[in-house]
Amino acid sequence: MARLRFPAAAPTLTGFALTGLALAALTGFSAPARAEGLSSYGTPGLIDMPAATAAPDGTLAWTSSFLGGHTRNTLQFQITPRLSGVFRYSILRGYFDTPEADLYDRSFDLHYVFRTESPRFPALAVGLRDFGGTGVFGAEYLVATKRFLDTRLALSGGIGWGRLGSYHGFRNPLAGLGDRFETRPGLTSLSETGRVSFNRFFRGEAALFGGLSYQVNDRLRLAVEYSSDAYRREVASMGFAHRSPVNLGLSYQASEALTLTAAVIGGAQLGLGFSYQLDPRAPRAPGGREGAVPPLLPRAEIAALGWPEKDTDASRSRLASALAQEGLRLESYAEDGPRARIVLANPRYRAAPQALGRAARAMANSLPAGIERFEITLTAQGMPTTRASFRRADLQQLEHAWDGSWQSFARADITDAPARLAPDPGVYPALDWSLLPYLRTALFDPDSPLRADLGLAASASYRLAPGLSVETLIRQKAFGTLDQSSRISNSIQHHVRSDAPLYDKLSGPQLVQLSADYLVRPGGDLYGRVSAGYFEQMFAGVSGEILWYPQGSRLALGAELNHLAQRDPAARLGLSDYHVTTGHASAYYDFGDSYRGQLDLGRYLAGDWGGTLTLAREFDNGFRVAAFFTLTDISFDDFGEGSFDKGISLTIPLDWLTGEPSRRGFAQTIRPIQRDGGARVAIAHRLYDEVRGTNAQTLSDQWGKFWR
């Protein structure tokens, strides 16, 4: 009698799976994106096999599946309506016949729907599975999907190569294009992992797969498929039982975001899993929880208060108090006939238009009736960036207009601000400080896939003058495991990043940052920065940067030059003998519709020369998903495991989670492996990130917040 085999420790959650559960708990179930049939690989599909479907545009999905020694953890992002990308971390128990028998595998997928479904024709998709990893799951496929019965029934069928061509395979139909398609090369050494091996795509034997799914009701979905994956290595090495190509599965929609799955794979293995999907464009508090703005007082009512028009001290005091109630800081105030000019610091609102709108209404309710125009200069660390001018009459007229947001933007005069008013007495110097908990993580160490430290971080910023500040960050770990890593780097480059675990072994308070920064405007459309000090945990030095970024431009160009010394991991403030000069020329481009790109060309920390390409999707609410890769003159073999630096990053604004106004957030960069090639120093207040939120291009995208 055939018996079902249950997942080892059924199911055992790895640290990476716990990270997915933490993401679900953090974001809650109020920002959902209904699941569109995700396979055990976390990609659009049936059970194991792919389908020509796509998740809703812009959504993120976390999938964890547990199957007979397999643990797969997948983060999927719907990059465009048709293109999705995947990062997967898998643990395969007993994969090797060596003392270190387990395989900890990192892989990337791409899935593209090149033809959408029509009444007569199915949707068609092409996919690459594990195209930049070890190739353990390496496969390519073409698949078609057609829906019937009001979309409740979906039929899928396709042809696969690689792993998806391993069961009842036949001669590659592409062999007619050339003999190179007859055989599929394999990996010959660990140093080849991480490369995009174009010479394996659609090569070797092919096989057919197919299946159907049926949506029984709003919650229950049944699926059956004919799989072309023979699980050859798992059968040979891991005790995996594969008795049939037919897989059976069901999924249950526990909530709008959470789906629970169960399946029988190969006729003998029981698989369990879950998927959690969220929509970055749907924050937990869609309307926000900021306090209500006082309504604009009628002009006649302001006049009746009898405020004298030449008493700037009284006007300044009233306005400073009104702005402080909105979480804004008045740095300068001046009157010039019927015009009032201010310099505004915005430590509270992530969207600059919201700060502008609240400041303009505070001016209208605090300044004499004879002031006709309000001119507001926005700043970044005290450096002027953008000037916005509003007519008082326009504010009064548009406050309750149905298209008030658009009209207020059209009537506003937004220009560059290469200079600013001198600060009012008492504004500088000033000290800001905070004491907050922190969480640091390290992923993918085979000895412990998730390590973390939890503790307190004390930060302080002392503002000496406009643009000039000194900042520090000190951490004290309460408990954690980052100091328990025992792996020694085998990198043949200087260990500019691969020795990072050594810096976590110091006990007691750790000085992470102590630096001075000066941000300045050299001229119109130009921004400058000079920094010196301890920039991060591993490097100190001096840095200079210049940025050209016209108002309303989609393109920005910058250049940075640094001279750095590596910090001694055994001493709190000491420096090692390693010194390096690095620098980059950078181009930034806003493609529109939330897509951004960045190209950096120059010299990296290990002395290597090359470039980094970053592509990001950043929504107007600040939620950001990005992918990057770096190629330098360090060869793939010399780089070591992973072949080149690459990864993805997530940024989740705090106001997205809480609805409360805040400029803070959570950021996580996920690299398959951290090596020494293509590494850059981390420096606070890089110019593009400092000023783009107040550039007219970004202001126009976020202007809907003006009246909030």
Side-chain angles (χ1 to χ4, degrees), residues 377-459:
T377 298
L378 296 171
T379 60
Q381 307 299 320
M383 174 187 68
T385 59
T386 302
R387 185 167 293 124
S389 182
F390 307 94
R391 292 177 63 245
R392 190 174 203 156
D394 290 338
L395 295 175
Q396 297 281 355
Q397 180 183 353
L398 300 176
E399 181 183 18
H400 301 296
W402 68 270
D403 59 347
S405 291
W406 165 245
Q407 286 205 47
S408 61
F409 179 73
R411 297 188 192 186
D413 184 14
I414 299 175
T415 60
D416 188 28
R420 54 164 286 170
L421 295 169
D424 290 338
V427 174
Y428 292 94
L431 175 67
D432 293 327
W433 65 274
S434 67
L435 183 64
L436 296 169
Y438 79 88
L439 173 67
R440 294 181 61 228
T441 60
L443 302 173
F444 311 136
D445 183 341
D447 296 330
S448 179
L450 174 66
R451 297 186 190 274
D453 277 356
L454 181 66
L456 287 176
S459 62

Side-chain angles (χ1 to χ4, degrees), residues 191-214:
S191 63
E192 291 186 36
T193 62
R195 306 181 191 180
V196 181
S197 300
F198 296 100
N199 64 337
R200 292 202 293 268
F201 290 170
F202 303 97
R203 307 292 177 89
E205 286 192 340
L208 300 178
F209 62 85
L212 62 88
S213 66
Y214 182 72

Side-chain angles (χ1 to χ4, degrees), residues 11 30 85 91 105 109 115 119 132-133 144 203 239 264 301 348-349 374 387 429 458 478 593-594 652 657 669:
S30 54
I91 301 176
D105 185 72
D109 295 4
R115 179 189 173 90
R203 307 292 177 89
V264 177
E301 197 171 312
R348 187 176 189 188
Y349 301 99
F374 306 138
R387 185 167 293 124
D593 197 24
S594 73
I652 304 177
L657 293 167
T669 297

